[in-house]
């Protein structure tokens, strides 16, 4: 049984617990930091202990589950992640007799919707892991404030960007969809980070082929207008060289209308639906192009689809890059480009 310290927090907040040998029951959990009431904290500790006993927590990979606690919400969504301090991890590898303490951080929110932010929260923990030092001084000055600001820093950026850009959000969505580089000027550090996170969350990275993405980035950088410039010196951001289309305008309205409720999880869901629709449109267009290689009526269907989908300009660029090495499909795309120009 280990006597070493662990870490903790919960509820729009943090909770972390030390675990020595997760695969067996021979470990102890002690709270390092929490803002949960005592009874709920004990229940959360029991929940984490059960997971550790089953060996269900993997280093650095967050999980999301629903937990019943003695707090008004009754059932809450809990993101929890087990990790070791970065420098101690290396030492433990070199000297196997060193028993490095391990930690579990828990973030509690209103529902299991934290699942949509799991990647952001994993990155958030990664940063904590690098900077964690159990000297009391660092704990009070860095770790505790860092744990307490998880919701603002990891969950709210999308919401803040929607509220800042309002109708101009359509141009930001267009830049993300078309892989257009974006430069932010005269913004404070948080706003710059928020815009960067929004663009990363709205892009189709990981959903279209890696090669396509690289080629698109190169193609967009070489284009005449190059980067979209966002100037944040005034109360409302000013955009230069920005593009937009009907598809992005429609989705912008979904975001702005959702702003009344002020639920950050809703914005993330809208963003996921936006990307899903874009991917469906790309797949439909690719299917029509395959048919159009042998059928002139299908070529006309391609053209009508591009005209009516609202994002023909972006879709055409994506399929042009994807079909660059396929002569027949490339010919179809060239004809479509001519029709669209006319």
């Amino acid at each position: 049984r280990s006597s070493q310290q662990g870490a903790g927090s919960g509820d729009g907040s943090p909770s972390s617990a030390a675990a020595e040998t997760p695969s067996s029951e021979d470990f102890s959990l002690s709270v390092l930091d929490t803002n949960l009431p005592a009874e709920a904290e004990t229940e959360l500790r029991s929940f984490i202990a059960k997971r550790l006993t089953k060996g269900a927590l993997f280093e650095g990979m967050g999980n999301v589950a629903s937990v019943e606690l003695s707090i008004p919400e009754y059932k809450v969504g809990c993101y929890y992640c087990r990790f070791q301090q970065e420098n101690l991890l290396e030492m433990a590898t070199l000297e196997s007799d060193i028993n490095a303490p391990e930690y579990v951080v828990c973030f509690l929110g209103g529902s299991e919707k934290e699942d949509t932010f799991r990647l952001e929260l994993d990155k958030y923990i990664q940063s904590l892991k690098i900077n964690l030092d159990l000297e009391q001084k660092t704990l009070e000055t860095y770790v505790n404030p860092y744990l307490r600001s998880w919701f603002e820093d990891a969950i709210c950026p999308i919401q803040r960007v929607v509220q800042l850009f309002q109708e101009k959000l359509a141009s930001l969505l267009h830049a993300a969809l078309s892989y257009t580089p974006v430069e932010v000027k005269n913004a404070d550090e948080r706003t710059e980070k928020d815009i960067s996170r929004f663009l990363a969350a709205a892009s189709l990275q990981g959903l279209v082929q890696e090669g396509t993405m690289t080629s698109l980035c190169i193609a967009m950088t070489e284009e005449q207008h190059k980067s979209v410039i966002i100037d944040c010196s005034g109360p409302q951001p000013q955009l230069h060289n920005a593009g937009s289309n009907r598809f992005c305008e429609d989705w912008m309205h979904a975001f702005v209308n959702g702003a009344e409720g002020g639920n950050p999880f809703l914005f993330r869901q809208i963003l996921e639906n936006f990307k899903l629709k874009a991917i469906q449109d790309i797949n439909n267009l690719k299917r029509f192009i395959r048919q159009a290689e042998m059928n002139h009526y299908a070529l006309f269907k391609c053209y009508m689809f591009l005209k009516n989908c609202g994002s023909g300009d972006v879709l055409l660029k994506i399929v042009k890059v994807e079909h660059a090495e396929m002569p027949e499909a490339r010919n179809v795309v060239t004809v479509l480009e001519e029709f669209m120009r006319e």
Side-chain angles (χ1 to χ4, degrees), residues 31-142:
V31 175
L32 192 62
D33 183 35
T34 184
N35 61 0
L36 272 179
E39 192 182 348
E41 187 271 310
T42 308
E43 291 163 346
L44 180 62
R45 199 192 302 206
S46 160
F47 166 78
I48 293 298
K50 281 178 192 161
R51 296 288 166 126
L52 287 165
T53 306
K54 290 176 184 168
L57 273 77
F58 298 103
E59 165 78 26
M61 284 174 61
N63 297 273
V64 176
S66 188
V67 190
E68 291 187 17
L69 301 175
S70 305
I71 48 179
E73 290 88 352
Y74 188 59
K75 260 195 175 187
V76 293
C78 173
Y79 165 92
Y80 55 97
C81 183
R82 174 187 145 222
F83 70 97
Q84 268 183 295
Q85 213 173 311
E86 198 88 314
N87 54 352
L88 287 177
L89 198 59
E90 290 163 17
M91 283 164 61
T93 320
L94 295 170
E95 304 173 43
S96 52
D97 58 326
I98 291 180
N99 229 349
E102 296 186 63
Y103 306 91
V104 179
V105 172
C106 305
F107 295 134
L108 304 186
S111 70
E112 282 188 59
K113 288 175 183 163
E114 279 87 350
D115 201 33
T116 55
F117 285 95
R118 187 163 37 187
L119 291 177
E120 282 88 343
L121 290 171
D122 281 352
K123 280 182 193 163
Y124 200 69
I125 299 301
Q126 192 61 31
S127 182
L128 176 69
K129 183 175 162 177
I130 294 161
N131 295 295
L132 182 66
D133 186 339
L134 276 187
E135 288 173 29
Q136 204 57 35
K137 190 173 58 186
T138 318
L139 199 62
E140 285 165 11
T141 58
Y142 177 79

Side-chain angles (χ1 to χ4, degrees), residues 179-287:
Y179 303 91
T180 307
V182 172
E183 279 179 44
V184 182
K185 295 184 173 177
N186 306 315
D188 58 73
E189 192 186 352
R190 186 169 87 162
T191 304
E192 199 166 335
K193 270 188 183 168
D194 284 354
I195 293 170
S196 159
R197 283 177 181 176
F198 183 91
L199 289 166
S203 86
L204 301 181
Q205 187 161 11
L207 299 174
V208 297
Q209 294 166 16
E210 197 66 38
T212 301
M213 218 174 58
T214 311
S215 305
L216 269 168
C217 291
I218 294 166
M220 292 311 292
T221 310
E222 286 170 354
E223 280 208 359
Q224 197 179 0
H225 287 318
K226 298 202 170 95
S227 307
V228 172
I229 311 289
I230 300 172
D231 185 355
C232 296
S233 52
Q236 263 259 304
Q238 298 301 311
L239 281 75
H240 308 283
N241 304 334
S244 187
N245 58 30
R246 191 161 41 83
F247 181 78
C248 294
E249 296 281 341
D250 290 346
W251 281 97
M252 172 273 291
H253 288 299
F255 279 103
V256 172
N257 294 340
E260 292 160 23
N263 179 349
F265 297 106
L266 172 67
F267 290 118
R268 185 49 185 264
Q269 199 51 62
I270 296 171
L271 202 54
E272 292 304 314
N273 293 344
F274 162 79
K275 295 198 296 190
L276 184 65
K277 183 68 177 86
I279 287 293
Q280 284 173 343
D281 285 352
I282 290 168
N283 289 338
N284 280 333
L285 179 59
K286 288 203 277 198
R287 195 176 76 247

Side-chain angles (χ1 to χ4, degrees), residues 215 318-327 329-330 333:
S215 305
I318 293 173
V319 294
K320 184 179 181 180
V321 168
E322 284 206 0
H323 293 101
E325 305 300 318
M326 306 173 197
R330 197 174 62 225
V333 173

